[in-house]
Amino acid sequence: MSGPAKTPNEVKARRGTLKPSRAVVVQIQNSLPRASELGVPDGLGPIATEAWERIVQYAGAWIAVSDRDSLTMLVKDIELLANLEARVSVDGPVLYTDKGYAYAHPAMGMRHSTEESIRKWMNHLGLTPADRAKLGIAMVESQSKVDKYRERLAAKAGHRAG
């Protein structure tokens, strides 16, 4: 017998029973300089620069300076994907030879491999919900039935919740 199911860290944190050693966010925030302290690397295009700023603003709490190269690769791939999609939108997904034979646009294959690369970089940096949960960063806040009831009452005109 394996015993009862383990209680997730998110539940323990809400209860106040989470051991300080398990609070990954606190460990991460105190141990390494944050990526938000960095400027945007030189040589990035406008799409990559915007992606960098958006990701650092969103995930700056757990992306450290040591992740700079990974984050740079991610935003470069995001820009490459945007350029490939623009090229396909101009040319179309099917091209034709001078003899009229149809073939798939080469950018379509590059697009697929770039999307896969972006997904891998996002996983590496904890930018997906599953990876944030693995890091203990995803604190899920569920709304209780009582809160939902009070919210419904408050939404009705003339009723006071609580």
Side-chain angles (χ1 to χ4, degrees):
M1 290 281 188
S2 62
K6 295 185 179 188
T7 306
N9 286 342
E10 292 85 10
V11 173
K12 291 178 184 177
R14 281 196 306 266
R15 287 186 199 158
T17 60
L18 181 65
K19 293 180 181 177
S21 63
R22 305 273 172 124
V24 177
V25 175
V26 174
Q27 291 174 357
I28 290 174
Q29 287 177 343
N30 293 332
S31 62
L32 298 170
R34 303 281 41 104
S36 56
E37 299 169 7
L38 299 172
V40 178
D42 294 333
L44 295 181
I47 296 170
T49 301
E50 189 272 328
W52 175 281
E53 291 168 351
R54 186 180 67 241
I55 291 169
V56 167
Q57 178 184 4
Y58 170 74
W62 67 85
I63 294 180
V65 173
S66 60
D67 296 323
R68 181 185 177 98
D69 293 335
S70 300
L71 183 56
T72 303
M73 295 299 294
L74 171 63
V75 297
K76 284 182 177 182
D77 280 349
I78 289 171
E79 183 155 32
L80 175 61
L81 179 63
N83 292 335
L84 291 171
E85 288 177 344
R87 182 80 255 161
V88 169
S89 69
V90 169
D91 296 341
V94 178
L95 299 177
Y96 297 93
T97 65
D98 53 348
K99 296 192 181 205
Y101 294 110
Y103 64 98
H105 197 299
M108 293 299 287
M110 292 172 63
R111 178 179 172 228
H112 176 70
S113 63
T114 303
E115 287 172 342
E116 188 65 23
S117 176
I118 289 171
R119 186 189 61 76
K120 287 179 182 177
W121 285 120
M122 288 178 72
N123 290 344
H124 177 73
L125 293 168
L127 297 176
T128 63
D131 291 306
R132 283 192 302 277
K134 287 177 191 174
L135 292 172
I137 295 171
M139 296 295 183
V140 179
E141 296 292 329
S142 62
Q143 190 176 26
S144 71
K145 290 182 180 181
V146 173
D147 291 337
K148 287 180 185 178
Y149 177 73
R150 286 183 178 158
E151 200 173 272
R152 272 195 320 236
L153 285 178
K156 292 182 179 179
H159 286 81
R160 183 173 173 227

